[in-house]
Amino acid sequence: MTDEISRRSFLGGAARGAVVGSGGMVLAAQMSAPAVAKGNPELSWQLVSSFPGSLEIIQDVARVFVKFVAEASDNRFNIKIVPKTSLGKKLDAATAVTKGKVEIAHTSSGFYWTKDPTFALGGGLPFGLNSRQMNAWVLEGGGAELMDSFYAKHNIYAIPAGSTGCQMGGWWRDEIKTLKQLNGKKLLSSGYATKIMKELGLDPQVTESADVVKAFKSGRLDAIEWVGPYDDEKLELYKATKNYYYPGWWAPGPMLHMFINRAKWDTLPKFYQTVLQGAGQAANAVMLARYDAKNPAALKRMLRKGVQLRAFPKEIMMAAFDAAEKSYAQTASTNAGFKKVFDNWHQFRADQYLWSQVAELGMDAFQSEVINR
Amino acid sequence: MTDEISRRSFLGGAARGAVVGSGGMVLAAQMSAPAVAKGNPELSWQLVSSFPGSLEIIQDVARVFVKFVAEASDNRFNIKIVPKTSLGKKLDAATAVTKGKVEIAHTSSGFYWTKDPTFALGGGLPFGLNSRQMNAWVLEGGGAELMDSFYAKHNIYAIPAGSTGCQMGGWWRDEIKTLKQLNGKKLLSSGYATKIMKELGLDPQVTESADVVKAFKSGRLDAIEWVGPYDDEKLELYKATKNYYYPGWWAPGPMLHMFINRAKWDTLPKFYQTVLQGAGQAANAVMLARYDAKNPAALKRMLRKGVQLRAFPKEIMMAAFDAAEKSYAQTASTNAGFKKVFDNWHQFRADQYLWSQVAELGMDAFQSEVINR
């Protein structure tokens, strides 16, 4: 037993030191972990979610994150989820983190694109990477490092924390057959995409609080893009129109993040940083998996109610793609920070599609054709 | 400072207790974590990888896993990677885990399909789920729970730990235009897929140790399927043939695992179990991301050397799909354990493709067409 202590504690390195009881000797079996131990400090943090309660999969993902941290730290690192309303009306979640009002925000980087369009690159651009490619870019393509330099300026450390997968193109009152038809149509949307939508003649409406379903039904909105089958079903827009469009070219693989106050992050011992990273990996995987697992049944239910799946016409897809490319080039020409990240991202996207169209797309296309034939 | 100790340590709960130094009082700043603390036992485990050193991304993923565990446990839980040769020639990695010779094996469940075909469901079946759908099934579709009951019989607890993404269809000496041409062709392959390949008239060759490249060049093999561009490039088979086929219908989304000795797993405190789960999430994400990030450049280099990408003819894909479905039905009719998992998986796959062909495939197909136009 003495040998045990020698090996583990004394030879374990001066950095961790040794604890010797009043008797000058302690036995391993009698020891228990002191809560004030240098190795495992007790921490209480706060997390705010940017998302409405109705998006309950996303809400749950914040709980997955918090639960992981609690469990992996033996309940020493506790993160409390506080309501967004506790921030007051003037403070957005990212700013609350920057200022240290809360330690963490579960949010979309894309929400903050008007502060700096570089934020939009973190959340995923229109006609951007799909969810899997986004993970590849962030983890192994230089994306995390490039975005980290940007987030640092805002006192933020960002950990990926979830994706919906490619979103749907929303509910449209009229069947859309030509680009010209988009002219003046009021589409509820958000993010950098609204810049591109305007180029197509659309009149994008950005609102958080209004009863958007009522606005659609009354005719004040012509279209609403929300998320995908599982979340969209809850809006019951199929009662007002059957035209359900795809794909949501503005969100092919959106990525959510945990925005963490960077000063606080820097004070964490390495092992708590790793625990937070692991919690992020779990949250990131679980969110996409849950949407993937729940979307099919919702889609089937809506199809049974007469919903028509309609693809955006090629003319519109091409015009939107070209408008997006033009907009990105323009933004890059006036924002060096955006350009630095964008150039890497743009080449990465080209390479990803060069490869993914071969085995992956070849297989998916075949499976789509035969499995439900 | 005394208050600090009171709050954290004494009020923190009797369960964790308090450490009081010989002076009767200690200060937080002077405390350091005792390595023998009950809360964080020091553990030394061994991990063996089933994979050859040439598959260095997969080898690295085991290191990602081990590093995560070390970091998240403040270097108290150490896992040593030991060479596969240390098991001797008669012991496969899964059996070594079952018997407790090592605590963990980084392996493919599919390797063990001859012991029980249910193992193949864990690693991914031919014409099965893609990598993302596989994650969805395991995490949120009931897959983990169903497979867990099976693995328990082998004293294994399995944690997902990596995917290559959809693999390539390999290198073929002859251009393959008809199903009939497959007759008698010797294809290096492995797993449950070889059962299906035989139905197509192929003569699949399963070997671990021979110099397969030499065998191909000498004419003793007609085709070799390996992984994808990054790993395949290293074999330099493009020097012997330019016919590089896709997709690898036998591995649309293979999943690797950490097989953990279940008795040992059960003795772990909850927080180390969570740390291992987090390490698995990290390994699972990093492996796919790294393949995705590295495959495009390898593909480009090989295309510059004259490699021809060729799609398997529809006739072959259909015959293989039908043979796979028939084989699964047959296996299910004689193996109740397989049937239990398979029935759930089969419905899940149908639902996944019902949904993923809409927004996800629609978007990927468009992007593939325009981005590198």
Side-chain angles (χ1 to χ4, degrees):
Chain A
M1 196 58 100
T2 308
D3 283 354
E4 252 332 68
I5 293 170
S6 296
R7 187 179 63 78
R8 290 191 186 163
S9 167
F10 293 90
L11 299 182
R16 280 202 299 273
V19 171
V20 179
S22 56
M25 176 63 71
V26 286
L27 300 180
Q30 296 169 347
M31 293 290 301
S32 58
V36 289
K38 189 184 167 198
N40 294 53
E42 288 211 356
L43 289 175
S44 291
W45 278 19
Q46 292 194 321
L47 179 152
V48 71
S49 170
S50 282
F51 304 96
S54 59
L55 297 175
E56 113 266 351
I57 291 181
I58 305 184
Q59 292 282 329
D60 274 346
V61 163
R63 288 181 206 113
V64 166
F65 181 87
V66 160
K67 185 166 178 275
F68 182 99
V69 175
E71 285 182 2
S73 69
D74 200 18
N75 294 308
R76 287 180 180 119
F77 191 169
N78 292 290
I79 301 170
K80 190 182 171 191
I81 300 176
V82 296
K84 202 176 154 193
T85 49
S86 68
L87 300 179
K89 283 195 177 173
K90 290 195 175 167
L91 209 58
D92 63 64
T95 307
V97 168
T98 298
K99 296 191 170 179
K101 303 282 180 193
V102 291
E103 285 84 2
I104 310 183
H106 190 210
T107 192
S108 164
S109 186
F111 289 166
Y112 312 101
W113 73 282
T114 52
K115 293 184 188 188
D116 187 321
T118 315
F119 274 111
L121 277 158
L125 289 179
F127 294 100
L129 303 165
N130 66 29
S131 300
R132 173 170 153 183
Q133 295 166 342
M134 191 73 180
N135 281 337
W137 180 60
V138 169
L139 291 172
E140 296 287 328
E145 295 76 8
L146 285 164
M147 286 303 299
D148 191 52
S149 304
F150 168 73
Y151 289 133
K153 290 182 215 163
H154 296 268
N155 193 29
I156 287 169
Y157 183 83
I159 290 179
S163 179
T164 56
C166 184
Q167 298 190 356
M168 285 294 286
W171 303 85
W172 295 67
R173 188 184 321 283
D174 301 333
E175 203 180 325
I176 304 293
K177 294 182 175 173
T178 66
L179 178 60
K180 210 177 159 191
Q181 264 181 283
L182 297 185
N183 213 34
K185 283 214 164 19
K186 293 183 195 307
L187 163 67
L188 181 87
S189 189
S190 63
Y192 191 105
T194 56
K195 244 173 107 83
I196 299 160
M197 289 166 179
K198 281 179 190 162
E199 296 295 323
L200 302 180
L202 283 161
D203 181 12
Q205 306 289 307
V206 181
T207 172
E208 261 193 63
S209 52
D211 185 338
V212 293
V213 175
K214 212 164 150 187
F216 183 87
K217 287 180 182 168
S218 73
R220 276 179 286 127
L221 283 173
D222 299 300
I224 292 180
E225 63 91 0
W226 195 236
V227 185
Y230 182 74
D231 290 322
D232 287 14
E233 186 187 25
K234 288 181 270 181
L235 301 182
E236 298 192 331
L237 280 166
Y238 51 80
K239 290 183 178 172
T241 180
K242 302 295 182 213
N243 298 316
Y244 194 24
Y245 274 83
Y246 70 90
W249 49 261
W250 43 82
M255 177 176 270
L256 304 187
H257 285 89
M258 293 294 173
F259 275 3
I260 299 174
N261 179 279
R262 199 175 183 98
K264 289 277 180 79
W265 170 263
D266 288 340
T267 65
L268 287 178
K270 175 74 182 163
F271 58 88
Y272 277 168
Q273 289 181 343
T274 303
V275 163
L276 288 175
Q277 297 280 12
Q281 295 280 12
N284 202 45
V286 166
M287 181 168 152
L288 185 59
R290 200 165 293 176
Y291 270 109
D292 282 348
K294 287 187 182 287
N295 273 325
L299 180 62
K300 282 198 272 190
R301 283 190 297 269
M302 290 195 291
L303 290 175
R304 266 185 240 116
K305 285 174 180 151
V307 164
Q308 297 287 318
L309 291 172
R310 300 195 189 279
F312 281 123
K314 189 75 176 280
E315 183 195 18
I316 289 178
M317 292 294 287
M318 286 304 309
F321 181 83
D322 291 340
E325 290 290 286
K326 204 174 150 190
S327 174
Y328 302 151
Q330 212 163 31
T331 301
S333 74
T334 59
N335 183 326
F338 179 91
K339 185 177 188 308
K340 192 181 167 192
V341 186
F342 176 77
D343 286 350
N344 168 283
W345 176 92
H346 202 242
Q347 182 59 51
F348 193 86
R349 187 188 64 168
D351 285 351
Q352 284 302 292
Y353 275 105
L354 181 80
W355 158 234
S356 73
Q357 71 183 323
V358 183
E360 204 71 41
L361 189 65
M363 193 69 198
D364 278 340
F366 175 80
Q367 301 272 76
S368 296
E369 194 183 325
V370 300
I371 284 176
N372 289 293
R373 88 197 121 155
Chain B
M1 197 56 103
T2 309
D3 282 353
E4 242 348 58
I5 294 170
S6 296
R7 187 178 63 79
R8 290 191 188 164
S9 167
F10 294 90
L11 300 182
R16 280 198 298 275
V19 172
V20 178
S22 56
M25 176 62 72
V26 288
L27 299 180
Q30 296 169 348
M31 294 290 300
S32 56
V36 289
K38 187 188 168 197
N40 296 52
E42 287 214 355
L43 289 176
S44 291
W45 277 18
Q46 292 194 320
L47 179 151
V48 70
S49 170
S50 282
F51 304 95
S54 59
L55 298 176
E56 114 265 350
I57 290 180
I58 304 184
Q59 292 282 328
D60 274 346
V61 163
R63 289 181 206 112
V64 166
F65 181 86
V66 160
K67 186 166 178 274
F68 182 99
V69 175
E71 286 183 1
S73 69
D74 201 18
N75 294 308
R76 287 180 179 120
F77 190 170
N78 291 290
I79 302 170
K80 191 182 172 190
I81 300 176
V82 297
K84 201 175 151 194
T85 50
S86 68
L87 300 180
K89 284 196 177 173
K90 290 193 176 167
L91 208 58
D92 64 63
T95 308
V97 168
T98 297
K99 295 189 171 179
K101 302 284 181 192
V102 291
E103 284 83 2
I104 310 183
H106 190 210
T107 193
S108 163
S109 185
F111 289 167
Y112 312 102
W113 73 282
T114 52
K115 294 184 187 187
D116 188 321
T118 314
F119 274 111
L121 277 158
L125 290 178
F127 294 99
L129 302 165
N130 66 27
S131 300
R132 173 171 152 183
Q133 294 166 342
M134 192 72 180
N135 282 336
W137 180 60
V138 169
L139 291 173
E140 297 287 329
E145 295 76 8
L146 285 164
M147 286 303 298
D148 191 52
S149 303
F150 169 74
Y151 289 133
K153 291 182 213 162
H154 297 268
N155 193 29
I156 287 168
Y157 183 84
I159 291 179
S163 180
T164 57
C166 185
Q167 298 191 355
M168 286 293 286
W171 303 85
W172 295 67
R173 187 184 321 285
D174 301 333
E175 203 180 325
I176 303 295
K177 293 183 175 171
T178 65
L179 177 60
K180 210 178 159 190
Q181 263 181 287
L182 297 184
N183 213 34
K185 285 215 161 21
K186 291 182 196 308
L187 163 67
L188 181 87
S189 190
S190 62
Y192 191 105
T194 56
K195 244 172 107 84
I196 298 160
M197 289 166 180
K198 280 178 190 163
E199 297 294 324
L200 303 180
L202 284 160
D203 182 13
Q205 306 290 306
V206 181
T207 173
E208 261 196 61
S209 52
D211 185 339
V212 293
V213 175
K214 212 165 153 186
F216 184 88
K217 288 180 181 167
S218 73
R220 276 179 286 126
L221 282 172
D222 300 300
I224 291 180
E225 64 90 0
W226 196 236
V227 184
Y230 182 75
D231 290 322
D232 287 14
E233 186 188 24
K234 288 181 268 181
L235 301 181
E236 297 193 333
L237 280 167
Y238 51 80
K239 290 182 178 172
T241 180
K242 302 294 182 216
N243 298 315
Y244 195 24
Y245 275 82
Y246 69 90
W249 47 262
W250 43 82
M255 178 175 270
L256 305 187
H257 284 89
M258 294 294 173
F259 275 3
I260 300 174
N261 178 279
R262 200 175 184 97
K264 290 277 181 78
W265 170 264
D266 287 341
T267 66
L268 287 177
K270 176 73 182 164
F271 57 89
Y272 277 169
Q273 289 181 342
T274 303
V275 163
L276 287 175
Q277 298 280 14
Q281 294 280 12
N284 202 45
V286 166
M287 180 167 152
L288 185 59
R290 201 165 292 176
Y291 270 108
D292 282 347
K294 287 186 181 289
N295 273 326
L299 180 62
K300 281 198 272 189
R301 285 190 296 269
M302 290 195 290
L303 291 176
R304 267 185 239 117
K305 285 172 180 155
V307 164
Q308 297 287 319
L309 291 172
R310 298 195 190 279
F312 282 123
K314 189 76 176 281
E315 183 195 18
I316 290 178
M317 292 294 287
M318 286 305 307
F321 180 83
D322 290 340
E325 289 291 286
K326 204 174 149 188
S327 175
Y328 302 152
Q330 212 162 32
T331 301
S333 73
T334 59
N335 183 325
F338 179 91
K339 186 177 189 306
K340 192 182 167 191
V341 186
F342 176 78
D343 286 350
N344 169 283
W345 176 93
H346 202 241
Q347 182 59 52
F348 192 85
R349 187 187 64 169
D351 285 349
Q352 285 300 294
Y353 275 104
L354 180 81
W355 158 233
S356 72
Q357 70 183 322
V358 183
E360 205 70 42
L361 189 66
M363 193 69 199
D364 278 341
F366 176 80
Q367 300 273 74
S368 295
E369 194 184 325
V370 301
I371 283 175
N372 289 293
R373 89 199 121 155

